[in-house]
Structure formats: C-alpha cells, structure tokens
Amino acid sequence: QVQLVESGGGLVKPGGSLRLSCTASGFAFSDYYMSWVRQAPGKGLEWLSYIDGDSSFINYADSVKGRFTISRDNAENSLYLQMNSLRAEDTGTYYCARPTVAYGDPFDYWGRGVQVTVSS
Amino acid sequence: EIVLTQSPDTLSLSPGERVTLSCRASQTVSSTYLGWYQQKPGQAPRLLIYGTSSRATGIPDRFSGSGSGTDFTLTISRLEPEDFAVYYCQQYGSSPMYTFGQGTKLEIK
C-alpha cells in the first residue's frame, strides 16, 4: 500500500535551516509529481511546492519562494524540502502529499506530517 | 494566485442534519481542478471530492459536490457523528500555484 513518511523536523532558531525528507513506498515513485503542504498551529492548509517525476517542473508558493528548495531522489524513493532563512511563521506541521498522478490531480495520499518549530 | 474563500468559518449542527459548505474563488476555476478534503484533529487531510463532483475511493454517497466558475459547494446529506471535522476546498491546476480555502469547521451542536 502507498506510504509516505516524513522526517527531519525539529526546533530551529530564526534564520536557521532544516531539511525535511519524505520516504515513499508502495508505488512507482518516479512516475508521480509530489508536493509539500504545511499547516501552522490551529490554522489551515497551505500548499508550498510541487515537483514532477524527473525534477524538470517545479513551482513554489510566494511565501517560500527563494527560501525553500524542493528536490527528489528517485533511486531512494525520497522527496526533500530544504528550508533556509527560517522564520517564526514557518512553524507548523509539514506534510508530503502525492497527487493521483501529475499536475492537475488532487492529493490522494498524505504522510502523517512532521513538526517544525522556529523559535529562539 | 487564486484565492479561495470558504463560508461559513464554523457551523454548529446536529447529527442527521443536511449541510452545505461554500467555496468561492477570486477567479474562474475549471471544474476539473476543484476538490474537497476533510481533516480531523491530529490527522492528515483526506480527499473527499475531486473534479468538483467525483467522490474519492471509499467516500460515502452522503457527500456530494457541485458548482462551476467561481462558486462551489460540498453537501453532506445527513450528518454522521464522524463527519464533524474541518473541510477545505482546493484548486489544483487552474493556476500553477495551488491554493486551499481557509477551512470550515463543522462542530456538533
């Protein structure tokens, strides 16, 4: 069955960096777009970024453009989110999500999420 | 960026009631690219409806979606206790930047 497991979260100071990972299993990872979505404490969902199967098509939300970088390693069935210049407002739960297949498909599988806290 | 505005923010209802949630877009959204998710506390979101009106796998038929252009709705025909949760609409292709609505919380009266 499809599984997405996030890791790499934790406590980081403002201005610091963190790299999140999402390990996928149960499907042909390289065939699928992947996305990151976050949720601030007590708030709604915010889409952050997507990447296509061969890393040639990438997009970001304005709130993270220039600070976050999405990438993937298909040999390792892994998705990454490099987060730099972190701010307090980046605090939240970060989910990786898989669409049905590609761009223009809804997210039918989600990981359980990983917590990121940005605080001094 | 397409802004999605959901209304109301919170609804207090009783099991057995019928409810309609609204999602209004700041510009036209193709019906192909509008979906709804349910999220319960401490859980990841779950896809309910995609393509405006298609139910995702395993979603009971008391959930239905409709709409076009800038106005979309999610209807739950008869609320079950497990339906009390937060519901989000999402556009995932009418604009290169996907967006979610701010959510509607369905609480038990």
Side-chain angles (χ1 to χ4, degrees), chain B residues 46-60:
Chain B
R46 176 174 72 145
L47 178 66
L48 294 176
I49 299 287
Y50 63 94
T52 296
S53 59
S54 297
R55 277 186 299 276
T57 303
I59 301 304

Side-chain angles (χ1 to χ4, degrees), chain B residues 25-83:
Chain B
S26 60
Q27 55 188 278
T28 296
V29 172
S30 167
S31 59
T32 302
Y33 303 131
L34 194 289
W36 292 87
Y37 298 82
Q38 177 194 67
Q39 188 180 31
K40 296 180 180 179
Q43 296 185 15
R46 176 174 72 145
L47 178 66
L48 294 176
I49 299 287
Y50 63 94
T52 296
S53 59
S54 297
R55 277 186 299 276
T57 303
I59 301 304
D61 61 8
R62 65 179 181 273
F63 291 91
S64 63
S66 64
S68 64
T70 59
D71 290 295
F72 298 88
T73 59
L74 173 70
T75 298
I76 310 174
S77 60
R78 187 177 171 83
L79 282 167
E80 297 288 341
E82 61 267 28
D83 298 337

Side-chain angles (χ1 to χ4, degrees), chain A residues 11-25:
Chain A
L11 174 64
V12 61
K13 288 181 167 51
S17 297
L18 211 54
R19 189 197 197 203
L20 305 184
S21 300
C22 171
T23 302
S25 60

Side-chain angles (χ1 to χ4, degrees), chain A residues 37 39 43-45 47 50 59-60 62 95 103-108 110-111, chain B residues 1 33 37 39 43-45 47 50 88 90 92-93 95-98 100 102:
Chain A
V37 176
Q39 187 167 36
K43 302 297 184 184
L45 302 171
W47 168 79
Y50 55 65
N59 205 358
Y60 299 96
D62 286 344
Y95 298 98
Y103 176 86
D105 287 335
F107 300 151
D108 59 354
W110 298 67
Chain B
E1 175 185 326
Y33 303 131
Y37 298 82
Q39 188 180 31
Q43 296 185 15
L47 178 66
Y50 63 94
Y88 296 94
Q90 183 204 18
Y92 46 83
S95 156
M97 288 194 288
Y98 295 176
F100 289 93
Q102 84 280 12

